[in-house]
Amino acid sequence: MHLHKLLTHLTSSDVRKAALLHLPLSESTLPHIVSRCRDIDAGVRKAVYASVLDKLETPKQLTIAQREKLVSSGVRDRDASVSAAAEKLIVSWSDSCSEITDFVELFDFELAVDEDDARPNPAQQALSALFRLQKDVLDSIEFGDDFWRNITTARAFLARVFVEHCVDAKAEDKIESSVPVLTALAFMISALYNDIMNIEDTAQEDRAFGVEAESKNEAEAADKRFILKQLMKLSLNLDYADEIGRRK
């Protein structure tokens, strides 16, 4: 019997764990290894994170779906030792990223947010673990003028999760030093909304004349809608003592 079959066909957790530890890491075996993050035995689940997948050279050897499964299953594991091992592995993935937005892009963060806000978002869970366990990463974050002037979907998502984490951690001072005042943010939101309306008006006119809308414009509108949504959610945690921004 092949080792990967032992993972699912044998009742002994010790044998499943032994098979797991001896499986080579390859494209064909990774699906079987990742599936064990939901094994009934905590020792097997912990081994997935702490003794097997930590040997990967890069998280990109895993598919996006596999990364998200590992995150969503691991950080919410009922066994504290498993969730700790999962968070340690997830945080280590940031070592392969030159920028923190690269870490965000390890996940399908846009789809996860748009599908259902009530569901746990693997990208947000991973970022939260990174902020919680790597304080130097959190302290090093600076959203300068260039960050906001050239906002992207990943940057907007990062900023929103950062602000929510700071609120939960009662570190509002970090928000004040990293996020524009409410007035400036309100003008950004207004500009994004106007851009979206202009793109959609143009598309509507094109359809009226029988011209097919360009996919590039549709993609641009989708990105702007996502950014707008993140900034509006972010703004809920800002200081509304700014009367001009509040009215805007």
Side-chain angles (χ1 to χ4, degrees), residues 37-240:
C37 73
R38 294 180 179 172
D39 194 277
I40 59 172
D41 182 77
V44 175
R45 298 197 303 274
K46 181 179 178 180
V48 171
Y49 297 99
S51 304
V52 181
L53 294 181
D54 62 328
K55 305 292 193 304
L56 289 174
E57 294 181 4
T58 169
K60 290 188 177 180
Q61 288 176 256
L62 298 162
T63 66
I64 290 177
Q66 288 169 344
R67 288 176 225 143
E68 293 189 340
K69 181 177 181 178
L70 288 166
V71 171
S72 60
S73 297
V75 300
R76 295 184 295 126
D77 197 283
R78 60 187 177 275
D79 188 289
S81 68
V82 177
S83 60
E87 290 188 335
K88 184 178 180 181
L89 174 69
I90 293 160
V91 168
S92 74
W93 292 346
S94 67
D95 295 337
S96 67
C97 303
S98 57
E99 297 182 9
I100 193 168
T101 49
D102 295 334
F103 182 77
V104 172
E105 290 170 349
L106 289 174
F107 309 96
D108 199 350
F109 64 94
E110 296 177 40
L111 180 62
V113 169
D114 282 343
E115 276 190 341
D116 187 347
D117 285 338
R119 292 172 52 193
N121 182 327
Q124 181 161 350
Q125 290 173 319
L127 263 182
S128 296
L130 181 63
F131 291 155
R132 189 170 60 255
L133 300 181
Q134 296 283 8
K135 191 173 182 298
D136 58 321
V137 172
L138 185 67
D139 291 341
S140 68
I141 289 180
E142 292 183 2
F143 300 143
D145 291 341
D146 179 72
F147 179 93
W148 299 104
R149 190 164 43 244
N150 298 295
I151 194 79
T152 63
T153 54
R155 286 183 172 188
F157 180 85
L158 168 63
R160 194 263 299 172
V161 176
F162 170 81
V163 167
E164 291 179 358
H165 175 82
C166 289
V167 170
D168 291 340
K170 301 188 184 307
E172 284 84 355
D173 57 313
K174 293 184 182 297
I175 298 176
E176 293 178 7
S177 62
S178 302
V179 178
V181 296
L182 188 60
T183 301
L185 192 66
F187 276 102
M188 288 178 59
I189 289 173
S190 178
L192 277 166
Y193 178 80
N194 290 335
D195 287 346
I196 294 168
M197 290 299 98
N198 289 335
I199 293 172
E200 292 185 350
D201 286 346
T202 299
Q204 188 172 359
E205 290 175 4
D206 288 343
R207 285 193 293 270
F209 287 99
V211 179
E212 187 174 345
E214 292 187 19
S215 58
K216 179 182 177 181
N217 292 338
E218 292 176 351
E220 182 183 1
D223 285 350
K224 288 183 181 293
R225 280 193 293 270
F226 180 86
I227 294 170
L228 177 64
K229 183 176 182 179
Q230 299 306 299
L231 295 187
M232 291 183 70
K233 293 176 73 173
L234 178 158
S235 69
L236 296 176
N237 291 299
L238 299 187
D239 181 9
Y240 276 76

Side-chain angles (χ1 to χ4, degrees), residues 2-8 16 19-37 48 52-53 55-56 61-63 66 69-70:
H2 293 296
L3 284 175
H4 67 81
K5 291 185 178 180
L6 294 178
L7 293 176
T8 54
R16 292 200 306 278
L20 180 69
L21 295 174
H22 287 86
L23 266 180
L25 292 171
S26 68
E27 186 177 348
S28 62
T29 61
L30 281 173
H32 303 289
I33 293 170
V34 171
S35 70
R36 290 302 94 197
C37 73
V48 171
V52 181
L53 294 181
K55 305 292 193 304
L56 289 174
Q61 288 176 256
L62 298 162
T63 66
Q66 288 169 344
K69 181 177 181 178
L70 288 166

